[in-house]
Amino acid sequence: NDLTVSTLPTESEVTSTVLMPSAAPNPLLRPTETTLFHTHTLTMKPTKLPTKQPSVHPTEQPSIQPTKEPSIQPTKQPTSLPTTNLPTTNLPTNNPTTTEVVFHVMGDTPYNVPDEACITLDLHTLAQQQLTSNTQTNFIVHVGDVQSAQKTRCVEYGFSNARRLMQPSENSTVPIFMLAGDNDWNDCPRPDKAWGYFWKYFGRFEE
């Protein structure tokens, strides 16, 4: 059995559809009954049309315009001009010097009377050379052991006697740097006491 549509939807929307019985009777419907089926409103277009442009329009230029030049312009000339157009010298910055440093080294002395006489003579000779020779001794280094710990037992006299022989005088005009040896400290029966003697007589001796 065919059903005919009594109304047609408009162009903009479909509001309702009414179904009417056809000439041939439908056993499911009464002859005089009209059935109306309501439908949801149908639109031919979306309820919200998409915008032709984005909701937030993009800018034609960046929000922060790029600069054509650096923010800090480079200078055409150095900030500090050179003082001269030519090198100040053709030689290396640190020129080698011809000054000589002359020093003497001794150690393990004086152990006995002959050693004492030798030190006295050597220092006197050196003092004379300082006055007559073009070569000057800058300093002397004593590398330690001004006595024999086994013989003297590191008593105070061993230190004071060595100082008497080498202290600045007419026999020794050259500074002497004293270093402590094992016989001046470590090998002594009482190392702490011996170190006290060494520092007492030779601390800052070169001054």
Side-chain angles (χ1 to χ4, degrees):
N1 294 326
D2 297 331
L3 297 178
T4 60
V5 178
S6 60
T7 59
L8 296 175
T10 63
E11 182 180 354
S12 60
E13 64 181 359
V14 177
T15 58
S16 65
T17 304
V18 178
L19 301 178
M20 298 299 292
S22 62
N26 189 334
L28 299 178
L29 298 175
R30 296 178 182 178
T32 59
E33 183 178 2
T34 300
T35 303
L36 179 65
F37 296 94
H38 294 284
T39 63
H40 293 287
T41 302
L42 302 177
T43 59
M44 301 295 291
K45 297 180 180 180
T47 55
K48 292 184 180 180
L49 295 176
T51 59
K52 295 180 180 181
Q53 300 293 333
S55 57
V56 177
H57 295 287
T59 58
E60 295 181 358
Q61 299 293 333
S63 57
I64 299 177
Q65 297 290 338
T67 58
K68 295 181 179 180
E69 300 290 341
S71 57
I72 298 177
Q73 297 291 337
T75 58
K76 294 181 179 181
Q77 299 294 332
T79 54
S80 298
L81 296 177
T83 56
T84 178
N85 294 328
L86 298 175
T88 55
T89 179
N90 293 326
L91 299 176
T93 305
N94 294 324
N95 293 326
T97 61
T98 57
T99 303
E100 294 181 351
V101 177
V102 179
F103 62 94
H104 298 265
V105 178
M106 61 179 175
D108 295 331
T109 188
Y111 276 12
N112 47 47
V113 174
D115 285 350
E116 295 177 7
C118 184
I119 289 177
T120 301
L121 177 61
D122 289 345
L123 293 179
H124 177 74
T125 301
L126 183 60
Q128 296 299 315
Q129 291 178 350
Q130 293 288 93
L131 299 175
T132 60
S133 176
N134 294 329
T135 301
Q136 298 292 302
T137 298
N138 297 95
F139 57 88
I140 300 172
V141 178
H142 193 296
V143 295
D145 293 352
V146 297
Q147 61 188 314
S148 172
Q150 293 182 350
K151 293 181 179 179
T152 65
R153 310 297 294 174
C154 301
V155 296
E156 185 174 3
Y157 173 78
F159 298 96
S160 62
N161 183 55
R163 178 185 173 89
R164 178 185 61 82
L165 295 172
M166 292 182 286
Q167 65 184 356
S169 64
E170 67 277 2
N171 289 332
S172 177
T173 58
V174 179
I176 301 178
F177 293 86
M178 300 295 298
L179 303 178
D182 55 353
N183 282 281
D184 304 321
W185 170 40
N186 190 59
D187 290 349
C188 295
R190 301 176 63 183
D192 293 342
K193 193 173 185 65
W195 175 252
Y197 289 147
F198 183 88
W199 184 254
K200 175 182 178 180
Y201 290 102
F202 296 112
R204 304 185 184 279
F205 183 65
E206 69 281 359
E207 298 177 356

